[in-house]
Amino acid sequence: MALQDRNRVVILGDRVENISGAEFPLSFDGKESSHGLQRLAETLDIKIVHLTPTEIEFDLIGVDASIANALRRILLAEIPTMAIETVYMINNTGVVQDEILAHRLGLVPIMADPEDFHWRRPLDPPTDQNTVVFKLDVECHKNPNAARDETDPSKLYINSSVYTSQLVWDPKGDQETRFADKPVKPIHGDILITKLRPGQVLCCELHCAKGVGKDHAKFSPVATASYRLLPDIQITSDITGDDAELFRDCFPPGVVEIVNEGGVRKAKVVNARKDTVSREVLRHKEFSDKVRLTRVRDHFIFNVESTGAIPPEVLVSRALDVLIEKCDISKAALADAIGSTASEE
């Protein structure tokens, strides 16, 4: 099998061939492909395809799936953020129980850079260096200006719905000065916390702490972090005329286009990364020997959506730092183990 073929996952109508079965990274069919730092330096590439304040799409090229998955898991579980950890319920006469409210509040994304705070250990007291405090004090009552025949609760009552915008940051120590340019607040002010009716009160104090997603999902800095292999559609024989249009319609828009070559309409793959690998084309017998659906084994298309607390490009950078630190720890442990074995001999 040629190296290019060994680097492809082959999609057939009823199965997937040449899937991962390697005993170690970048080996195929029991045959080793040169593997080491030199090869990694030559093949590794990261290309940013799309970037917004909350989302990033980038290509990670030239690494094994184990590396890509390690990066994904770090994004989900090992980059710290600030989240509501403790809720001191002073008064709650609404219909939602204290425990449910505390859980909902804990999942509210908080705009606070964890790099500006210390870790708080179980016996440590709260300080301005490890804790952010919010207060929530809301009472529902009738709106005196509402029309007599009004039925909309949002107009009939004041504070009928409690939103995250009503969380009030209570700076401690020098926090007001430290964060004058970037006040701590909920990322989204329109998240519904609970609903109240006249006479019902919600009063509580919320303490935010630094944590990671592997301890609780509320600390995860990403809404989604996923990857997929780059599709590679190979046309092995010309597809022309009406067949070209049928072939084009088997793929999502923008994957295949009809081009005119020498007066002949011919199907041409223009952007394979848009393909969802639906295998629709394999349902048509006329294309069975004219197309080959594959995916590139070492080309990963990453999509990361931040919750908003940390920009997505910063998230990826911090995830890489964590991965490097893990490698350094493993190297040191391995060196110690080898040294201990040598001394025993």
Side-chain angles (χ1 to χ4, degrees):
M1 183 183 291
L3 178 60
Q4 180 176 348
D5 290 336
R6 285 190 277 137
N7 198 30
R8 295 292 188 274
V9 176
V10 182
I11 313 297
L12 301 176
D14 58 349
R15 65 190 185 279
V16 180
E17 288 189 344
N18 204 30
I19 60 175
S20 176
E23 296 180 359
F24 51 87
L26 300 177
S27 70
F28 308 98
D29 303 327
K31 300 177 183 178
E32 179 182 356
S33 176
S34 58
H35 180 60
L37 289 178
Q38 182 61 37
R39 184 185 185 283
L40 183 64
E42 293 172 355
T43 60
L44 176 62
D45 195 10
I46 297 178
K47 298 179 180 178
I48 297 177
V49 177
H50 177 70
L51 178 63
T52 70
T54 57
E55 297 181 34
I56 185 172
E57 179 182 330
F58 65 94
D59 290 0
L60 180 62
I61 306 169
V63 299
D64 184 71
S66 57
I67 303 298
N69 199 46
L71 182 62
R72 182 190 68 86
R73 291 173 67 92
I74 290 170
L75 283 165
L76 289 169
E78 298 191 50
I79 299 177
T81 64
M82 300 294 290
I84 296 170
E85 177 71 357
T86 308
V87 177
Y88 297 96
M89 200 65 68
I90 300 168
N91 190 13
N92 174 25
T93 58
V95 296
V96 180
Q97 298 93 331
D98 294 354
E99 295 83 358
I100 303 300
L101 274 175
H103 183 266
R104 290 179 63 83
L105 288 164
L107 295 173
V108 172
I110 302 299
M111 179 65 77
D113 191 339
E115 297 290 307
D116 296 330
F117 295 90
H118 299 161
W119 291 94
R120 182 181 174 185
R121 292 171 293 188
L123 299 180
D124 289 347
T127 70
D128 61 323
Q129 299 298 316
N130 62 24
T131 303
V132 172
V133 177
F134 286 97
K135 290 188 176 181
L136 181 60
D137 190 357
V138 182
E139 179 178 0
C140 180
H141 51 86
K142 292 184 177 180
N143 181 4
N145 299 319
R148 292 178 61 88
D149 58 347
E150 183 61 67
T151 58
D152 184 353
S154 63
K155 298 178 181 178
L156 191 58
Y157 312 124
I158 296 175
N159 292 329
S160 63
S161 297
V162 182
Y163 293 97
T164 47
S165 58
Q166 293 168 277
L167 290 172
V168 179
W169 176 40
D170 185 15
K172 302 297 182 182
D174 66 346
Q175 288 182 350
E176 190 169 15
T177 303
R178 285 164 55 200
F179 305 122
D181 296 333
K182 47 179 180 179
V184 180
K185 61 180 181 179
I187 294 172
H188 305 288
D190 57 352
I191 299 176
L192 179 66
I193 297 173
T194 187
K195 291 187 177 183
L196 302 175
R197 287 300 178 262
Q200 295 179 346
V201 175
L202 175 58
C203 181
C204 55
E205 182 171 296
L206 322 170
H207 287 198
C208 303
K210 187 174 179 178
V212 292
K214 63 182 178 181
D215 292 331
H216 195 290
K218 66 185 178 184
F219 291 112
S220 182
V222 298
T224 58
S226 63
Y227 62 79
R228 60 189 177 95
L229 293 177
L230 176 71
D232 180 24
I233 304 168
Q234 303 168 5
I235 297 178
T236 58
S237 181
D238 287 349
I239 301 173
T240 60
D242 293 339
D243 283 352
E245 294 186 5
L246 176 60
F247 184 81
R248 177 195 60 196
D249 294 341
C250 289
F251 298 91
V255 175
V256 176
E257 290 185 0
I258 308 298
V259 297
N260 195 310
E261 293 185 2
V264 177
R265 293 181 299 132
K266 183 185 297 185
K268 181 179 181 181
V269 178
V270 293
N271 193 351
R273 72 182 294 125
K274 290 185 176 182
D275 185 34
T276 58
V277 194
S278 67
R279 310 189 201 188
E280 171 66 21
V281 68
L282 300 180
R283 296 178 61 237
H284 301 275
K285 294 182 179 180
E286 55 266 49
F287 303 134
S288 59
D289 58 348
K290 294 184 177 182
V291 63
R292 188 166 181 259
L293 301 181
T294 70
R295 284 190 166 191
V296 184
R297 191 191 295 269
D298 63 351
H299 189 137
F300 302 91
I301 302 174
F302 261 87
N303 286 275
V304 179
E305 180 183 350
S306 168
T307 59
I310 304 173
E313 67 274 19
V314 176
L315 281 176
V316 175
S317 176
R318 292 183 182 178
L320 291 171
D321 289 340
V322 172
L323 183 58
I324 291 170
E325 182 181 0
K326 287 178 175 289
C327 292
D328 290 340
I329 293 173
S330 298
K331 285 174 60 180
L334 182 60
D336 290 342
I338 294 173
S340 300
T341 303
S343 61
E344 290 175 1
E345 294 176 352

